[in-house]
Amino acid sequence: MAVLIRSSQLLVLSRPDTNLNPRPRTQFLSLVQFWDCRLRKMQAKHLIHELLRRSMRHRAHHTNPYLHFACNALCTVTELPKSDFPESPDLPSWLKSPEPPVTDSSCDDFVIPSLASWVESHNLQDRSKFVRPSPVEQPIKSDADKISGILKNRYPSPESFVEALDGCGVDVSDSLVAQILKRFSNDWAPAFGVFTWAKTQTGYVHSSELYNAMVDILGKCKKFNLMWELVKEMDGFKGYVTLVTMTQVMRRLARAGRYEEAIEAFKGLEQFGVEKDINALNVLLDALVKENSVEHAYEVFLEFKDLTPLNLRTFNILIHGWCKARKFDDAQKMMNEMERHGFRPNAVTYTSFVESYSREKDFRKVDAIMDEMGEKGCKPSVVTYTIVMHALGKAGQINEALNVYEQMKKDCVPDAPFYSSLIFILNKAGRLKDANEVFEDMEKQGVSRDLLTYNSMISSACAHSQEENALKLLRKMEKDSCKPDHKTYAPLLKMCCRKKWMKVLDFLLSHMFKNDVSIDLGTFTLLIHELCKSGKLDRACLFFEEAILKGMIPMDSTCRMLVEKLEHKNMTVDKERIELSMLRAVE
């Protein structure tokens, strides 16, 4: 075995092999100088790390364990530093660094070995709409899967779906219909088909909750005529139409930019037996404000403020709207009117100002608002502190962001969103080890990890090329019974497209479907763009056409990008098909 002995400035290389030919003195000295320089660099880097660690230790003593993150100026070192010198070709083979095994990780069928069994355990064949058809038929494991398999076939109308479902031999229940509606929540035709089919089954009547879910799907897909027809049908069942129903109607109309129709829906509440009280008014105001129409909300406020007693939430909604629109003078006027009505500004009121100034990175005004809260005896909430910490972290002021925790301890207890924000800013600063420690320590602090926490960790792992860790976090969500959403899958899908891991991509899409996460237009757009960049144009075309079949119209920029890529690759037939599909969708 080779032995390296370091003594003062001399490096001696010895090998118990007397049969080696003697090396020239110049080559030996060159080898000595090379290793001497390499060891010096390694020692210097580790010495700096150790000195900084020791110099900061006393500052973290007797404080919360998370405060030491602010003092640690170095990211976690996960491997020894590499030398800037290339290895000499004259080095003997026994001294050279071993070459890592070559693995073709860009292969379509590549799967990370440690996750292979998990990936293989999922049935990838039940997703024939995204992958090329396979002759292998897999057994249906549940009624939901059986119905889903029928609904995946593209039929021309909801009535066709009803015909296809007749005689499927499935017993209908509320839970079954609810699961199917979740799976197809962005695909109105099969959702409405199964909803209509279920109504025809003997002895079954939809619950009001399922009617509300179908109303929301139709509104989301902008099928407003069908949505209103369903609301009128609900009105035939006593007590089915409630404020919950009309909230979905008003929100979907506002989101589609149909502000006047949303207002008219509010005015017509009483014809469905829903009281037009302050709660209903606040729902409308909130829907308009969230869809960037505070002006419409203010007009409604002026029209109805004398007809129903107002409350603190009414004013906070409008203040939030004016702050969101960066119209701080109008927000201040609304605060003054709030006080004239006998309401004192609370933490929610001030947080609207804090949030808007934080987005503008105007932290002087943020501090001024926080000082004003203190002067008026209004303690900031954990939401207020989370917003400030998050904004400071995004602005690169990591130490200031972490100091917010010290201030927060005086007023409130951290919750899951606060820890999720802390994890986000640590990951953004490259301090992955620190972020992971917070993630692992949350439950010890009595705070359960929620969806936002997992989403922050998965997004960071993907951004830092930790593919295996990202997928393991998704698997951990399964074990923790934490249901993923679109934001969970987006970075994972993007990662697979860039790495050209088509088998893992198919697995993730299957995983989404089985977790009742319906693919929306944003997800289709992400897949099309990233597959185009990776040269997987056949897959990109499949997703483009699938989006159109579901009634979603891709943006012009998405279509243009795909068409240009196809033209560059001389895929004329595919190019013409995509252009025709887009033309028909727009018409």
Side-chain angles (χ1 to χ4, degrees):
M1 176 177 287
V3 181
L4 276 72
I5 306 174
R6 170 76 186 217
S7 176
S8 184
Q9 302 299 318
L10 180 63
L11 178 71
V12 179
L13 296 177
S14 65
R15 172 185 170 109
D17 190 346
T18 57
N19 295 325
L20 286 175
N21 294 325
R23 305 177 64 83
R25 177 180 177 82
T26 55
Q27 290 184 355
F28 181 78
L29 290 176
S30 175
L31 188 60
V32 169
Q33 292 169 354
F34 165 77
W35 280 104
D36 184 66
C37 180
R38 186 165 186 171
L39 287 175
R40 280 173 179 272
K41 290 172 68 66
M42 292 169 63
Q43 286 180 337
K45 289 186 178 181
H46 286 289
L47 178 60
I48 292 171
H49 185 278
E50 179 65 12
L51 287 175
L52 282 171
R53 186 182 67 81
R54 292 179 181 177
S55 66
M56 297 301 178
R57 183 182 298 166
H58 71 279
R59 293 174 57 182
H61 191 55
H62 294 311
T63 62
N64 186 278
Y66 299 126
L67 290 182
H68 79 278
F69 300 147
C71 305
N72 183 5
L74 296 178
C75 299
T76 304
V77 178
T78 58
E79 60 181 8
L80 289 177
K82 297 180 180 179
S83 170
D84 295 332
F85 294 95
E87 286 190 337
S88 170
D90 296 325
L91 284 175
S93 60
W94 55 269
L95 192 57
K96 290 183 179 180
S97 300
E99 292 292 334
V102 178
T103 304
D104 185 9
S105 63
S106 64
C107 174
D108 284 10
D109 292 331
F110 176 80
V111 178
I112 296 172
S114 63
L115 298 168
S117 60
W118 180 49
V119 172
E120 295 295 343
S121 67
H122 280 255
N123 180 9
L124 300 182
Q125 299 299 332
D126 62 356
R127 295 191 49 265
S128 57
K129 60 181 179 178
F130 294 121
V131 296
R132 300 300 184 188
S134 168
V136 180
E137 293 294 334
Q138 298 293 332
I140 302 298
K141 297 182 179 180
S142 67
D143 288 343
D145 289 338
K146 185 174 183 179
I147 291 179
S148 297
I150 297 172
L151 297 179
K152 284 179 184 178
N153 299 310
R154 301 310 308 184
Y155 295 102
S157 67
E159 292 76 19
S160 300
F161 283 103
V162 174
E163 293 177 5
L165 289 168
D166 281 340
C168 66
V170 172
D171 293 329
V172 182
S173 65
D174 279 355
S175 59
L176 175 63
V177 176
Q179 185 176 6
I180 298 299
L181 292 185
K182 284 182 181 179
R183 286 188 175 184
F184 293 89
S185 62
N186 289 293
D187 196 356
W188 76 272
F192 194 60
V194 77
F195 185 85
T196 304
W197 166 78
K199 288 191 297 183
T200 66
Q201 303 306 295
T202 304
Y204 176 78
V205 178
H206 285 307
S207 65
S208 60
E209 290 78 12
L210 289 177
Y211 267 101
N212 288 337
M214 194 66 240
V215 165
D216 191 53
I217 291 172
L218 293 171
K220 186 197 307 188
C221 297
K222 301 181 181 179
K223 300 296 177 181
F224 295 113
N225 290 336
L226 278 176
M227 179 189 74
W228 279 117
E229 288 179 12
L230 197 61
V231 172
K232 293 175 181 177
E233 181 181 319
M234 292 176 67
D235 195 35
F237 298 93
K238 185 177 181 180
Y240 265 43
V241 180
T242 63
L243 182 56
V244 174
T245 311
M246 300 310 296
T247 294
Q248 292 167 338
V249 170
M250 290 186 283
R251 289 195 183 281
R252 290 303 177 186
L253 288 169
R255 185 164 297 181
R258 301 189 177 199
Y259 306 122
E260 297 295 341
E261 292 183 37
I263 295 170
E264 288 302 316
F266 168 75
K267 293 179 178 179
L269 286 179
E270 292 174 342
Q271 75 181 69
F272 296 108
V274 179
E275 187 178 356
K276 195 161 52 179
D277 57 8
I278 186 59
N279 293 324
L281 177 62
N282 286 345
V283 166
L284 174 62
L285 297 179
D286 190 57
L288 295 170
V289 163
K290 285 183 177 176
E291 302 307 326
N292 303 312
S293 185
V294 64
E295 293 81 6
H296 282 91
Y298 186 61
E299 290 176 5
V300 171
F301 169 78
L302 293 177
E303 182 178 352
F304 290 96
K305 69 176 183 177
D306 296 327
L307 302 179
T308 183
L310 305 177
N311 59 20
L312 181 61
R313 175 167 165 73
T314 311
F315 292 99
N316 279 338
I317 290 171
L318 291 168
I319 289 170
H320 174 69
W322 289 123
C323 287
K324 186 179 178 182
R326 305 295 192 270
K327 296 184 177 181
F328 297 108
D329 290 340
D330 291 318
Q332 187 62 53
K333 290 177 182 177
M334 185 56 61
M335 184 184 286
N336 295 337
E337 185 166 352
M338 169 197 287
E339 293 177 332
R340 286 196 297 271
H341 278 75
F343 299 106
R344 291 185 58 188
N346 62 0
V348 176
T349 313
Y350 288 108
T351 299
S352 295
F353 288 91
V354 169
E355 182 179 18
S356 294
Y357 287 134
S358 294
R359 286 178 177 172
E360 294 182 345
K361 299 181 182 179
D362 191 345
F363 296 113
R364 289 187 178 180
K365 289 186 177 179
V366 170
D367 291 339
I369 295 294
M370 299 286 277
D371 290 341
E372 182 179 343
M373 293 178 72
E375 292 171 1
K376 294 188 176 182
C378 179
K379 292 183 179 181
S381 67
V382 65
V383 175
T384 314
Y385 284 115
T386 301
I387 289 171
V388 176
M389 184 179 71
H390 195 83
L392 287 167
K394 288 184 70 174
Q397 301 182 33
I398 184 68
N399 289 348
E400 291 80 357
L402 295 173
N403 285 336
V404 171
Y405 178 76
E406 274 298 286
Q407 303 171 27
M408 188 193 69
K409 285 195 303 183
K410 303 173 185 176
D411 299 318
C412 46
V413 178
D415 58 5
F418 180 87
Y419 281 114
S420 298
S421 181
L422 178 58
I423 287 170
F424 170 83
I425 64 176
L426 288 170
N427 280 323
K428 183 176 175 63
R431 298 165 73 158
L432 308 186
K433 183 178 179 181
D434 295 338
N436 190 62
E437 287 180 0
V438 174
F439 178 79
E440 295 296 337
D441 200 54
M442 282 181 66
E443 292 189 344
K444 297 177 184 177
Q445 301 295 326
V447 181
S448 298
R449 306 182 191 105
D450 63 2
L451 178 61
L452 181 59
T453 311
Y454 275 105
N455 286 354
S456 297
M457 290 293 291
I458 289 174
S459 178
S460 173
C462 292
H464 290 88
S465 301
Q466 295 186 350
E467 297 88 2
E468 183 175 2
N469 187 38
L471 290 167
K472 284 183 175 179
L473 284 164
L474 180 63
R475 184 171 62 180
K476 186 175 179 61
M477 289 183 75
E478 282 186 0
K479 296 178 180 178
D480 289 351
S481 300
C482 182
K483 296 285 284 185
D485 66 357
H486 291 96
K487 292 182 180 179
T488 310
Y489 291 105
L492 294 167
L493 295 173
K494 187 175 183 179
M495 172 191 77
C496 289
C497 291
R498 290 187 172 184
K499 303 287 288 186
K500 301 181 182 179
W501 292 352
M502 295 299 101
K503 186 170 185 177
V504 182
L505 178 67
D506 291 337
F507 158 74
L508 288 173
L509 292 168
S510 174
H511 197 274
M512 285 182 70
F513 191 76
K514 291 183 177 180
N515 278 280
D516 306 323
V517 180
S518 178
I519 299 181
D520 58 3
L521 181 58
T523 305
F524 275 118
T525 302
L526 180 150
L527 289 166
I528 295 165
H529 277 255
E530 294 301 326
L531 287 168
C532 281
K533 293 176 185 177
S534 300
K536 298 291 184 180
L537 299 183
D538 56 338
R539 291 282 186 124
C541 290
L542 283 174
F543 285 115
F544 188 93
E545 291 170 307
E546 180 66 22
I548 288 177
L549 285 171
K550 287 189 171 186
M552 306 176 194
I553 303 179
M555 292 185 293
D556 290 339
S557 58
T558 303
C559 181
R560 186 166 54 250
M561 178 184 187
L562 179 55
V563 167
E564 288 175 356
K565 292 286 186 179
L566 292 170
E567 185 175 15
H568 181 71
K569 292 291 185 179
N570 295 321
M571 300 172 67
T572 308
V573 175
D574 297 295
K575 170 180 171 291
E576 292 175 352
R577 189 177 74 252
I578 292 300
E579 289 176 327
L580 182 60
S581 297
M582 187 66 176
L583 180 62
R584 289 175 176 172
V586 173
E587 290 176 350

